[in-house]
Amino acid sequence: MTTPRLNDTQTPLFTVPGQACRIARIEISHHQFELDPPFPAAWDSQPRRRFPATLVRVIDSEGREGIGSGDVMYGFDDFRHLFIGEDPLDLERHAGVIDNIGFHAGRCWPLEVALWDLAGKILETPVWRLMGGVSNRLRAYASSGTHRPLDEVVALAEQVKASGIAALKLRFGRPRLEEDLAVLGAVRSAVGDALELMVDCNQGWRMPWDVKAPWQFSQALEVARELENQGVYWMEEPLYRGDYEGMARLNEATSLHIAGGEMTREPYEFTEMLRQGCLDVYQPDAVCSVGMLGLARLARQIVDAGKLFTPHTWGNGIGVIANLHLTAGAVGPAGAPYLEYPFDPPEWTPEKRDFPLTSPLLADKEGWLTLSEAPGLGLDLDEERLAATRADQATYQ
């Protein structure tokens, strides 16, 4: 059987002649994994004592199961009937319905991830091949998530360097900017040019209770000058996510790559950011916005415009793996020099991050994340752990 491929002129028309399977059930479960010690996320003033995960399972009439995870799927029950009895391979239709649901209720893109996993299993093909088959691997960048004391951040950088991972993202947002800059300077002094460094300013969005105003252009430019001096590769979310004019001005004024878009939801917003020259690095996450079908197309548009596409992946391993399939398959290393690899031990290890899986996604000794030829997303769930962590809701506390 010829492997169907995604392209921009027609949807991957995956329906195989004689294929008669239908979506039989969609099951959603919430889980909470206890974090000991709690995880003090840089963007959240409340240390996280639990790591929530929502799993979506799509079962077809032949008993095959597709798996997805990401957003919490709140509000989906009112729309479940729109999928039951439908062809699981009609991914264009499903993505359109999920997009419509996002306007009326919640972000249900984990369902689309599960449908891609199921499609790959039906077609006995890995999702990265269905996405275009450009590559089955990308280099990881270690993404830290805390504001640790200076010496501890330096120790993390040295650990990342020793692991073979070639890049590290640091978080700004300490009480004083001078503290952030001191940490960055100490890391650069410790690792020299052995690590590419990125900085996440976390100004694009806030937690619900956090009403602190984001940086204005003048402050972002001041920080950018300091980051230039330290040879930083990209400056992430330096301004509010809707400040297109400010991002475009900043991008023009600095030699840094300006990154963002992780929580931007609508395709037309990305089109406008591209038109205005807001970003060099686009970071939408397939489990939060636009979805895998839409992002595969968007990723190619971004790369064709001379920019980079590398998704946000801060979640559990299912989301990381879904974004890896999407990005490697659609644009490969030329369009995505690095993929985010959440890593900040001891609170945030691959084993904790990927608790729904039997084994975590690990980078190899040269820092590559590599996908196999296993059909679908190639996931193996730890059903015993999932049963033990079953919960009524998905919360961090």
Side-chain angles (χ1 to χ4, degrees):
M1 180 179 67
T2 301
T3 300
R5 300 290 177 92
L6 179 68
N7 60 55
D8 295 324
T9 58
Q10 62 179 16
T11 316
L13 300 178
F14 293 139
T15 302
V16 177
Q19 182 71 51
C21 69
R22 291 288 181 258
I23 297 173
R25 303 192 313 280
I26 300 173
E27 299 176 355
I28 298 172
S29 60
H30 302 301
H31 306 266
Q32 291 181 328
F33 182 78
E34 297 289 335
L35 293 174
D36 184 17
F39 176 60
W43 57 92
D44 189 344
S45 60
Q46 304 177 28
R48 299 180 170 194
R49 301 182 183 280
R50 298 183 180 91
F51 178 34
T54 295
L55 259 66
V56 181
R57 303 174 192 245
V58 180
I59 299 94
D60 73 6
S61 52
E62 302 298 317
R64 291 168 294 213
E65 181 178 87
I67 302 297
S69 186
D71 213 54
V72 292
M73 298 291 292
Y74 290 160
F76 174 72
D77 285 343
D78 291 342
F79 305 98
R80 187 187 304 264
H81 67 282
L82 297 176
F83 299 91
I84 303 302
E86 297 291 331
D87 180 355
L89 299 178
D90 192 356
L91 293 168
E92 183 84 43
R93 181 263 181 194
H94 301 324
V97 174
I98 293 168
D99 184 51
N100 290 340
I101 291 172
F103 177 82
H104 294 278
R107 300 177 296 184
C108 295
W109 293 111
L111 171 61
E112 196 215 23
V113 172
L115 287 163
W116 278 95
D117 185 33
L118 179 58
K121 290 172 179 174
I122 292 170
L123 298 168
E124 300 180 350
T125 304
V127 170
W128 66 267
R129 287 198 180 277
L130 299 179
M131 286 285 156
V134 174
S135 177
N136 71 331
R137 65 177 194 160
L138 295 172
R139 295 193 81 178
Y141 76 83
S143 181
S144 68
T146 62
H147 290 151
R148 301 189 188 280
L150 185 149
D151 59 336
E152 293 183 15
V153 181
V154 169
L156 172 64
E158 291 174 337
Q159 180 180 356
V160 169
K161 174 185 171 183
S163 75
I165 293 176
L168 169 65
K169 185 165 75 181
L170 304 174
R171 302 278 174 169
F172 274 21
R174 292 170 178 81
R176 296 170 58 248
L177 177 60
E178 291 78 8
E179 297 175 52
D180 289 326
L181 294 173
V183 168
L184 172 62
V187 169
R188 177 57 81 199
S189 295
V191 301
D193 295 331
L195 286 182
E196 199 83 80
L197 297 181
M198 301 88 152
V199 167
D200 191 339
C201 303
N202 280 130
Q203 299 299 310
W205 56 274
R206 297 279 190 251
M207 297 299 291
W209 52 85
D210 184 353
V211 295
K212 183 181 179 181
W215 292 349
Q216 297 300 303
F217 173 80
S218 59
Q219 185 174 7
L221 181 60
E222 178 184 353
V223 176
R225 296 295 182 232
E226 296 291 341
L227 301 191
E228 286 175 331
N229 292 335
Q230 295 293 345
V232 167
Y233 183 56
W234 80 53
M235 181 185 193
E236 184 171 333
E237 293 196 322
L239 295 166
Y240 175 67
R241 64 186 180 277
D243 186 0
Y244 297 168
E245 179 184 1
M247 285 188 281
R249 287 176 62 202
L250 186 64
N251 205 4
E252 180 69 23
T254 178
S255 62
L256 299 167
H257 292 83
I258 302 300
E262 68 182 40
M263 292 300 172
T264 299
R265 297 195 180 187
E266 299 285 354
Y268 68 80
E269 295 180 274
F270 290 106
T271 299
E272 185 61 19
M273 285 193 287
L274 273 170
R275 187 187 71 82
Q276 294 194 33
C278 295
L279 302 174
D280 297 302
V281 183
Y282 287 78
Q283 301 174 302
D285 186 332
V287 304
C288 295
S289 59
V290 184
M292 296 185 72
L293 177 63
L295 286 186
R297 293 169 172 166
L298 177 63
R300 282 190 283 274
Q301 293 173 14
I302 288 167
V303 173
D304 287 346
K307 309 299 183 181
L308 301 175
F309 176 85
T310 174
H312 165 276
T313 68
W314 199 278
N316 68 64
I318 298 172
V320 179
I321 291 169
N323 278 293
L324 177 56
H325 275 272
L326 156 70
T327 310
V331 298
Y338 301 103
L339 187 82
E340 184 171 34
Y341 184 74
F343 180 76
D344 206 338
E347 297 92 347
W348 207 256
T349 62
E351 291 75 17
K352 293 178 181 180
R353 181 196 66 204
D354 299 352
F355 80 87
L357 305 176
T358 55
S359 58
L361 175 68
L362 298 174
D364 66 21
K365 293 181 180 179
E366 296 181 344
W368 289 92
L369 300 169
T370 302
L371 296 164
S372 72
E373 290 288 344
L377 295 175
L379 302 173
D380 291 312
L381 295 179
D382 187 333
E383 298 289 3
E384 183 175 342
R385 184 178 296 141
L386 289 171
T389 57
R390 189 81 179 240
D392 294 330
Q393 59 184 347
T395 64
Y396 293 99
Q397 301 301 321

